[in-house]
Amino acid sequence: MKERFSHIILIALAVMLSSSLSATHNRAGEITYKQTGPLTIEMTIITYTKASSVAADRDSLDVFWGDGTHQQVRRDNSRTRFEPNDIKINYYIASHTYPGVATYTISFIDPNRIGGILNVNYPNSIDIPFFLSTTFTLLDPQFQGYNNSAILLQPPIDIGCVNKVFIHNPNAYDPDGDSLAFELAVPLQDINTPVPGYKYPDQVGVSSGNDISINSRTGEVIWDSPKLQGEYNIAIRIKEYRNGRLINVILRDMQILIKACDNDPPTITSEDELCVVAGENIIIPVQVNDPNPRQKVRLSATGGAFSVQHPAILNGPVFFTNPPFNATITWQTNCNHISDQYYQIVLRAVDNFYSDSTGLATLKTIRIKVVGPAPKNLTSEAVGSQVQLRWDAPYSCEQTDNNYFQGFSVWRKIASTVYEQDTCSPGLTSGPYTKISFKTQNLDGDHYTYFDNTAEKGKTYCYRVQAEFAQLTATGNPFNKVESLASNETCITLSRDLPIITKVSVQKTDDINGEIHLRWTKPLADQLDTLQNPGPYTYIIERSTDGVIYSSIHEVQHQYFGEVTDTNYIDVGLNTVAVRYFYKVQLKTGNQNVFYAEPASSVFLTIRPTDKQNNLSWTYETPWANTQYKIYKQDNAGQFILIGTSDLPEFTDKNLSNDSTYCYKVETIGTFGIQNIEDPIINFSQVVCQQPIDNVPSCPVDIKVVNICDRLTGDVNTDDLYNTITWSNPDDLCPNQSGDIDKFILYYAETIDDELKKIQEIPASSSLLSVHYPKNGLLGCYAISSVDFAGNESDLSAIVCVDNCPYYELPNTFTPNGDGHNDFFTPRRSIFIAAVDFKVYNQWGNLVFETKDPKINWDGKTLGGRMLNDGTYYYTCRVFEQRVTGLVETEKPLSGFIHLIKN
């Protein structure tokens, strides 16, 4: 035990010496890499250090490769740079070969950050280690390709002003075309070990008007706005995905210098986002200005569009220039630029407020997607029992680097439909089509061609074609596939030798005497082949209520095919109120051959009522495509008036009275998209009447919980152990429901794992406040809901948890002499302490007393009951508090000396 006590003293001395001898050093940095072989990478560590801290300068770093090995990597001094604001940029580059395909983490740790970082263990950030890591997956190079990390084009050090919006973007670009996502993180001091005492920048200083956030798609960090000048550090986690799989994570540690400056940043006006077809020449105007007179501004740009072959160009002044001035970004795109990811350009305008070379900057992010052009002039033609598709050759992007162009895919659907392509989201994968050919490049002279031998006669098929692109592995396997814009649509019916239904329309709504109008077209005589299929010709109408089991309801017969035939039929005696009806029409020839029309159903309208509105939706099953819908409502005179249109089978009628009933019907407008067929195809639903009902709860409220911990001074009495819960007025959040609240319900759970239980109902007529006395101090979790006069309970508010505010203070002297005064060693102050691990040692390091009781109550005796002599004893004390998440040790163990005086 003597050796243990001496070890404690030595540790304390070592800490004091290290604090006095350490040198301030690291500001920011990151680790990136490129894959140079199946199992080999070239890693680059970039650190941004304090240039004046010569004593802590690192000419090499100990890099841990993540496979159980490490290596001293020397700095590449040829690339070292010095920047204003006492910044030195260091590059450490090395290659490493791994034992196999797996996930690895490269990391390094340095003993020192710079001193005085406001949000890292302030004011002792100098003693906190600086840690960087990048986790990556070596993929199977034959099937999944190489995996290079993202490249971060914007340095991780930036400057802002107090009370001015700060904007930064790491401007990450992935050369493999993988997708990237961004999130703020806590800086680390070791693997999975956050730096102590960390606060996000918006938690330093005044909280009002102080918020930091990151755009998960672009990586743009906005801090609106800093309140205290000084240096801050944040970490940005850059995640890289391939085909939905996370394959890389870069942890960038970044420094932000906030100054007290009477200066507004420059302004940049330009595009936010655009999508273009490969081959287009992009010209993006940029306007730069500065609100401060007599300041000059310099404009620069970085981004993936500047990192490719045939890159974009920034045209404009390259030096500090008097604003306002104009610039342009020009980019002659080509087929090699096609990608399903956006190219990101970050414009940076910096003024010369501080010096001729540096000042306050603003950033502007522009996202550009380059998509593949659509194949042109697609046509369809029936060739025997097949459909032949033809489109123009050559395709404008069939010549690309690295065999990027993979061929064409063919897509098909039954019946035409409205399908509007979005240039920013090309491809048919999410559309109504099915891929029937994955890769085709069959040439027939000046056309590509494809034969569909799976088409069935009598059905209408619609086709589109798109080009496919992909990067290739060393063995030719594709990855990171990209779809072009789709071609025009072409539709065809293969062999019109059967009837086709064109109308199933409700004429009368009734539960007994409902009526439906059915219509069909005859087969084409030249395609039916009346020699092979002689008369008589019988049309048989079949009906079903479920689309599965049909029964015959009507027949009409003619001896000769050319005889005039009425192809309309009114089906009567139906329950069109509650039933959707399905119909088939079959043609039976004299030799008993049967030709069936594709079935079709009536349009069935349903209404879901809610507060002051009716939500309409309708269903149908038809061989044609409905492209538009008209919604009618009955007026006071009994007439149906058009109240709106929709491109989707749904519509909401708003601003209604809950005391009235409203009646509706829907008209569908459709098409087969082929010649000699009724167009447009018009059908009506049944009439449905519905009264709106109040079944919508109010908006969830905002909740706040405060207690004595927010103003803790002096001793705490049991009367102070209560939580005050306040919440917002839902009328302010949902103005359309103003005055509709009857009461509020307060829920409580002692720990975060416990189920919330109702503890109080508060009338809405009272104040928006409640007081609760928990059984175990102050800790607990609260949520609140509101209930309207119709009994609708809202969703719970966000759950807000509060912990006890522990405080534990020990004296340094006690007098166990039995006089009734100070006979026991007890805490001076103990608030919300659940347990301790208190140990006392003598001068030889021997344990003489220990207890778990927060009250301690040590009477000066050993564990064996022997009274100790007067003297000085050393103690350590680990302190535990009860939180909503369980028993938690407080941040720092206590230690010190106790003077035991009996005389």
Side-chain angles (χ1 to χ4, degrees):
M1 301 305 288
K2 176 180 178 180
E3 181 181 349
R4 180 176 178 181
F5 181 73
S6 301
H7 182 59
I8 294 171
I9 300 297
L10 286 172
I11 289 176
L13 290 171
V15 170
M16 290 188 292
L17 286 171
S18 66
S19 296
S20 62
L21 296 177
S22 63
T24 180
H25 189 51
N26 287 284
R27 296 181 181 273
E30 73 245 2
I31 302 174
T32 59
Y33 71 92
K34 61 182 178 181
Q35 189 171 353
T36 57
L39 298 174
T40 302
I41 67 165
E42 181 185 89
M43 172 219 65
T44 300
I45 297 178
I46 307 176
T47 63
Y48 296 74
T49 57
K50 190 170 184 178
S52 60
S53 182
V54 178
D57 192 40
R58 317 293 186 212
D59 63 354
S60 63
L61 299 177
D62 193 10
V63 176
F64 293 82
W65 293 104
D67 59 356
T69 66
H70 63 104
Q71 173 186 348
Q72 286 289 331
V73 177
R74 296 192 61 82
R75 180 172 56 204
D76 183 351
N77 290 322
S78 67
R79 302 183 66 177
T80 300
R81 300 201 317 271
F82 292 87
E83 298 288 340
N85 295 307
D86 199 16
I87 297 170
K88 182 179 182 179
I89 306 176
N90 311 274
Y91 291 81
Y92 305 84
I93 303 171
S95 293
H96 185 73
T97 299
Y98 286 90
V101 172
T103 297
Y104 302 96
T105 297
I106 309 171
S107 64
F108 95 94
I109 188 171
D110 189 277
N112 303 112
R113 293 177 177 268
I114 67 164
I117 303 174
L118 293 182
N119 64 329
V120 177
N121 199 43
Y122 183 79
N124 298 312
S125 61
I126 190 173
D127 297 325
I128 305 305
F130 178 78
F131 177 83
L132 294 177
S133 69
T134 289
T135 300
F136 66 98
T137 301
L138 287 175
L139 305 172
D140 186 331
Q142 295 189 49
F143 299 99
Q144 299 167 301
Y146 279 8
N147 174 18
N148 300 285
S149 76
I151 302 169
L152 309 184
L153 301 171
Q154 197 71 24
I157 291 186
D158 220 333
I159 301 174
C161 283
V162 172
N163 291 323
K164 306 294 182 182
V165 176
F166 170 84
I167 302 176
H168 175 82
N169 195 317
N171 201 5
Y173 163 68
D174 189 84
D176 300 327
D178 297 322
S179 60
L180 301 177
F182 304 84
E183 63 186 30
L184 291 176
V186 176
L188 301 181
Q189 62 175 346
D190 204 338
I191 294 178
N192 298 323
T193 307
V195 297
Y198 184 76
K199 297 180 179 179
Y200 284 99
D202 55 1
Q203 297 173 334
V204 178
V206 180
S207 59
S208 178
N210 187 3
D211 180 72
I212 191 169
S213 61
I214 189 168
N215 186 309
S216 61
R217 290 192 311 161
T218 67
E220 185 172 81
V221 176
I222 298 180
W223 184 4
D224 185 11
S225 55
K227 301 304 177 188
L228 290 179
Q229 63 176 320
E231 291 173 304
Y232 299 80
N233 270 72
I234 62 172
I236 300 176
R237 192 175 283 117
I238 299 108
K239 296 181 175 182
E240 181 180 335
Y241 294 85
R242 181 174 297 179
N243 298 327
R245 175 188 175 188
L246 180 64
I247 58 174
N248 281 351
V249 179
I250 297 174
L251 183 70
R252 169 183 253 200
D253 202 312
M254 174 187 173
Q255 185 174 84
I256 304 171
L257 175 60
I258 300 299
K259 297 186 176 184
C261 45
D262 184 17
N263 183 35
D264 290 301
T267 60
I268 303 174
T269 304
S270 189
E271 298 276 358
D272 292 320
E273 182 176 297
L274 66 158
C275 301
V276 300
V277 178
E280 290 186 30
N281 185 30
I282 301 172
I283 301 176
I284 303 174
V286 179
Q287 293 84 40
V288 179
N289 207 342
D290 193 288
N292 308 288
R294 297 182 300 277
Q295 283 188 181
K296 295 183 178 181
V297 178
R298 183 179 64 197
L299 180 68
S300 60
T302 57
F306 299 99
S307 303
V308 296
Q309 290 187 347
H310 308 289
I313 300 172
L314 176 63
N315 307 284
V318 296
F319 302 107
F320 278 100
T321 302
N322 290 319
F325 61 83
N326 295 321
T328 58
I329 297 172
T330 58
W331 190 15
Q332 178 58 62
T333 62
N334 61 44
C335 298
N336 295 311
H337 299 146
I338 295 170
S339 175
D340 65 344
Q341 301 299 312
Y342 281 86
Y343 293 89
Q344 187 162 282
I345 292 176
V346 174
L347 294 166
R348 185 174 189 268
V350 59
D351 62 30
N352 61 347
F353 178 75
Y354 300 119
S355 67
D356 291 337
S357 60
T358 184
L360 194 60
T362 192
L363 302 182
K364 170 69 176 179
T365 301
I366 303 174
R367 303 173 77 227
I368 303 173
K369 179 178 278 191
V370 181
V371 303
K376 294 183 178 180
N377 300 319
L378 177 66
T379 61
S380 56
E381 180 183 2
V383 179
S385 61
Q386 302 181 94
V387 175
Q388 183 184 27
L389 302 177
R390 290 166 60 86
W391 61 97
D392 289 356
Y395 174 60
S396 57
C397 277
E398 62 184 46
Q399 298 297 324
T400 55
D401 294 344
N402 193 30
N403 297 315
Y404 192 42
F405 172 67
Q406 297 294 296
F408 301 95
S409 58
V410 180
W411 300 71
R412 183 183 76 185
K413 72 177 297 293
I414 296 177
S416 175
T417 186
V418 175
Y419 179 70
E420 296 184 2
Q421 294 195 78
D422 180 0
T423 307
C424 292
S425 299
L428 296 167
T429 298
S430 58
Y433 297 85
T434 300
K435 184 184 287 191
I436 61 172
S437 176
F438 288 80
K439 187 185 293 187
T440 180
Q441 296 187 56
N442 296 323
L443 270 173
D444 180 14
D446 58 355
H447 285 85
Y448 288 101
T449 185
Y450 174 79
F451 284 91
D452 180 11
N453 57 13
T454 63
E456 299 177 17
K457 64 179 182 179
K459 291 185 178 180
T460 300
Y461 292 98
C462 295
Y463 298 86
R464 290 183 189 264
V465 172
Q466 69 182 22
E468 305 270 351
F469 302 86
Q471 298 193 50
L472 298 179
T473 67
T475 56
N477 289 299
F479 67 97
N480 281 350
K481 298 178 181 179
V482 182
E483 300 174 335
S484 77
L485 292 170
S487 70
N488 60 290
E489 183 182 71
T490 180
C491 298
I492 189 172
T493 300
L494 191 62
S495 183
R496 284 265 315 276
D497 57 357
L498 73 175
I500 297 176
I501 297 175
T502 58
K503 181 179 284 293
V504 183
S505 185
V506 178
Q507 286 194 161
K508 182 178 180 181
T509 301
D510 194 89
D511 58 355
I512 297 176
N513 296 312
E515 297 180 1
I516 289 180
H517 180 188
L518 175 70
R519 183 160 61 227
W520 68 94
T521 62
K522 297 169 58 177
L524 297 179
D526 59 339
Q527 295 190 24
L528 177 63
D529 192 348
T530 54
L531 294 177
Q532 295 291 329
N533 298 285
Y537 301 95
T538 305
Y539 290 95
I540 303 171
I541 300 173
E542 298 179 350
R543 184 178 67 207
S544 171
T545 57
D546 59 7
V548 178
I549 301 175
Y550 285 82
S551 58
S552 175
I553 61 171
H554 182 71
E555 293 185 11
V556 58
Q557 186 179 92
H558 296 277
Q559 183 63 39
Y560 302 104
F561 186 81
E563 289 185 47
V564 176
T565 303
D566 183 4
T567 58
N568 291 276
Y569 175 73
I570 307 300
D571 194 12
V572 298
L574 304 175
N575 180 6
T576 52
V577 172
V579 179
R580 177 174 60 156
Y581 290 93
F582 299 78
Y583 294 89
K584 284 182 180 180
V585 176
Q586 63 169 292
L587 171 62
K588 183 183 293 185
T589 64
N591 58 2
Q592 301 301 305
N593 286 335
V594 178
F595 299 86
Y596 272 100
E598 284 292 304
S601 79
S602 59
V603 183
F604 192 75
L605 172 64
T606 58
I607 300 178
R608 183 173 56 85
T610 187
D611 188 26
K612 300 177 183 177
Q613 65 184 42
N614 281 325
N615 297 313
L616 285 67
S617 62
W618 46 96
T619 57
Y620 50 81
E621 293 182 23
T622 61
W624 62 86
N626 289 317
T627 59
Q628 190 183 37
Y629 311 97
K630 294 182 178 180
I631 298 88
Y632 297 85
K633 182 166 67 176
Q634 195 173 42
D635 63 13
N636 294 331
Q639 300 297 315
F640 280 90
I641 307 300
L642 179 67
I643 61 170
T645 61
S646 176
D647 295 328
L648 299 173
E650 58 187 35
F651 181 82
T652 299
D653 190 16
K654 300 179 180 180
N655 301 318
L656 306 178
S657 170
N658 289 345
D659 298 324
S660 300
T661 298
Y662 303 86
C663 297
Y664 306 86
K665 66 178 180 180
V666 173
E667 177 186 9
T668 64
I669 303 170
T671 179
F672 271 104
I674 55 178
Q675 293 182 346
N676 303 318
I677 294 290
E678 179 180 344
D679 197 342
I681 297 173
I682 306 296
N683 290 281
F684 283 91
S685 73
Q686 86 281 24
V687 176
V688 179
C689 301
Q690 183 65 56
Q691 177 179 346
I693 59 174
D694 183 0
N695 57 6
V696 178
S698 66
C699 300
V701 301
D702 297 325
I703 185 174
K704 183 177 181 181
V705 182
V706 297
N707 53 41
I708 191 66
C709 294
D710 300 300
R711 56 188 188 281
L712 188 58
T713 57
D715 294 329
V716 175
N717 300 315
T718 55
D719 292 342
D720 295 322
L721 300 183
Y722 62 86
N723 292 316
T724 301
I725 305 100
T726 58
W727 56 92
S728 59
N729 189 339
D731 289 348
D732 297 334
L733 303 175
C734 300
N736 60 322
Q737 298 173 348
S738 179
D740 196 31
I741 304 303
D742 177 36
K743 61 184 177 182
F744 299 96
I745 300 177
L746 181 64
Y747 294 85
Y748 171 78
E750 185 169 295
T751 73
I752 199 168
D753 295 323
D754 293 338
E755 181 183 357
L756 288 168
K757 295 182 178 179
K758 183 192 301 185
I759 61 170
Q760 190 178 6
E761 291 190 2
I762 305 101
S765 57
S766 64
S767 62
L768 303 174
L769 177 148
S770 180
V771 174
H772 180 234
Y773 290 83
K775 293 180 180 179
N776 192 2
L778 296 171
L779 62 84
C781 298
Y782 295 89
I784 197 163
S785 67
S786 61
V787 180
D788 63 22
F789 287 103
N792 301 305
E793 183 175 358
S794 73
D795 291 336
L796 289 179
S797 67
I799 298 174
V800 175
C801 297
V802 292
D803 285 307
N804 293 323
C805 40
Y807 190 85
Y808 201 61
E809 182 180 349
L810 297 176
N812 60 9
T813 303
F814 76 118
T815 58
N817 55 13
D819 64 356
H821 299 286
N822 202 24
D823 285 335
F824 294 90
F825 185 84
T826 59
R828 284 180 179 169
R829 193 176 180 198
S830 177
I831 305 173
F832 305 127
I833 303 303
V836 298
D837 182 10
F838 178 79
K839 296 179 179 181
V840 181
Y841 302 91
N842 64 17
Q843 60 181 329
W844 308 111
N846 298 318
L847 179 68
V848 296
F849 178 78
E850 65 177 335
T851 183
K852 304 293 185 183
D853 184 359
K855 297 178 181 179
I856 300 178
N857 284 326
W858 182 36
D859 58 3
K861 295 178 181 179
T862 66
L863 294 171
R866 181 177 58 84
M867 177 60 72
L868 292 169
N869 295 325
D870 288 9
T872 301
Y873 296 84
Y874 181 79
Y875 75 86
T876 63
C877 184
R878 297 171 63 198
V879 182
F880 300 86
E881 59 171 307
Q882 183 68 44
R883 291 189 179 178
V884 292
T885 54
L887 201 64
V888 177
E889 185 175 2
T890 56
E891 282 191 11
K892 291 184 178 180
L894 302 177
S895 62
F897 297 94
I898 302 172
H899 301 287
L900 189 157
I901 304 171
K902 296 195 299 292
N903 301 314

